Amino acid sequence: MTATPRTSIDELPLRPELRGRTPYGAPQLQVTHRLNTNENPHPLPAELLATLGEALGHAALELNRYPDRDAVALRTDLAAYLSRGGERVEPAQVWAANGSNEVLQQLLQAFGGAGRTALGFTPSYSMHPIISAGTGTAWVDGHRREDFTIDAAQAAAQVREVRPDVVFVTSPNNPTGTAVALETVEQLHDATEGMVVVDEAYEEFARTGTPSALSLLPGRPRLVVSRTMSKAFGMAGLRLGYLAADPAVVDALQLVRLPYHLSSLTQAAARAALAHTDALLATVDAVKAQRDRIVATLPSLGLTSVPSDANFVLFGRFADAHAAWQALLDRDVLVRDVGIPGWLRVTAGTPAETDAFLTALGEVAPDHR
Ligand code: PMP
């Protein structure tokens, strides 16, 4: 029997702007030390695991019914969590979806789209331009300084010139770890009539004195702060992202969200997790300690890093970053080659993972600096 030849994507009537693209995704390799996707390596606390099964079992009893379409109870819990920082956030200001990627996609569906433009300060989270492309939104690269910080005046001038409909500010930034000053966010907001989305996926790892843009929300209905339970909460597998903004923004997102987009199991698991916020976030300080240990050790290996407020470190400089990436992989340590010449990104993990990384790097560095 002859096999039917496999159809190639090029034979399909695909949207022209998607032709030739490759799907986003870090390599999923079988490696002992996986330090490439900025996950929290710590397992869920026992006290949460004990109640999670019960919460899911309870939700399962009603799986014949659609979930709460507006996820009111979950949004109430998320608002309570965000209000812990001192700035009161109401449930009507919160929206949740399957990972902050879906939150960002819904934002672009509502505020971007055909004939509209998004701008973000690259290098930054590479999904921002990819989700822009997927929603038919044009993309413009914003400038950063050589040290990866944002020059507020220059950035505001660029925003005034480009007039984007959506401005992305990632703080702390992925892949550089760079936090953005609130004054910069304010200046960017004042420079545009479009939406300003502050992607704070890594906010909980920020060093003291690095405040969240949540405090800027009052009186700024075009400002959005997006967060996730994938990083500090250590629940990347749950797929739960959320945002805080003016209730009008939440109304706008209701126009583009799919009905019942958040399954009742997701809502139940997220609520169970939020009931154990303190236990979950107890690992944040441990991760930050490993991040700071990596930063402190790099100079003794003849390497340097970009100051990081996240759970990862951009380190270098290498003559050939990809060769250094491969040499680390040969030693069973997987980091991320984010495509910035001279630099690689490593996720801060457990002390044992940091040991393995620093040992491998000690072997690799002399030949690759
Ligand atoms: N924003 C940033 C800056 C990220 O780095 C990530 C994940 N790598 C996300 C958003 C998306 O995370 P999730 O969809 O898991 O919430």
Side-chain angles (χ1 to χ4, degrees), residues 99-101 104 125 170 174 199 201-202 228 230-231 239-241:
S100 49
N101 281 333
L104 301 175
Y125 182 39
T170 314
N174 177 14
D199 184 339
Y202 300 97
T228 181
S230 297
K231 311 297 180 181
R239 309 307 301 128
L240 200 288

Side-chain angles (χ1 to χ4, degrees), residues 285-304:
D285 283 342
V287 169
K288 286 165 70 174
Q290 295 311 306
R291 169 195 69 198
D292 296 341
R293 183 181 152 208
I294 293 169
V295 168
T297 311
L298 288 168
S300 67
L301 304 178
L303 296 169
T304 184

Side-chain angles (χ1 to χ4, degrees), residues 190-269:
D190 293 349
T192 178
E193 288 172 15
M195 302 297 292
V196 175
V197 179
V198 186
D199 184 339
E200 290 193 349
Y202 300 97
E203 205 279 334
E204 287 92 346
F205 298 106
R207 290 169 291 181
T208 4
T210 316
S212 156
L214 284 176
S215 62
L216 298 179
L217 287 177
R220 292 188 180 83
R222 293 181 292 103
L223 186 65
V224 176
V225 177
S226 127
R227 296 278 190 98
T228 181
M229 292 183 74
S230 297
K231 311 297 180 181
F233 278 87
M235 299 202 70
L238 174 64
R239 309 307 301 128
L240 200 288
Y242 56 103
L243 62 71
D246 191 279
V249 174
V250 176
D251 292 345
L253 297 184
Q254 308 257 9
L255 303 175
V256 297
R257 57 106 181 94
L258 295 175
Y260 316 112
H261 68 296
L262 261 189
S263 93
S264 24
L265 298 178
T266 302
Q267 294 188 37

Side-chain angles (χ1 to χ4, degrees), residues 123 144 148 170-180 202 205-207 210 291 306-314 345:
R144 280 179 190 265
F148 303 115
T170 314
S171 182
N173 187 44
N174 177 14
T176 61
T178 318
V180 180
Y202 300 97
F205 298 106
R207 290 169 291 181
T210 316
R291 169 195 69 198
V306 179
S308 174
D309 276 283
N311 65 336
F312 53 83
V313 178
L314 193 71
R345 191 193 71 191

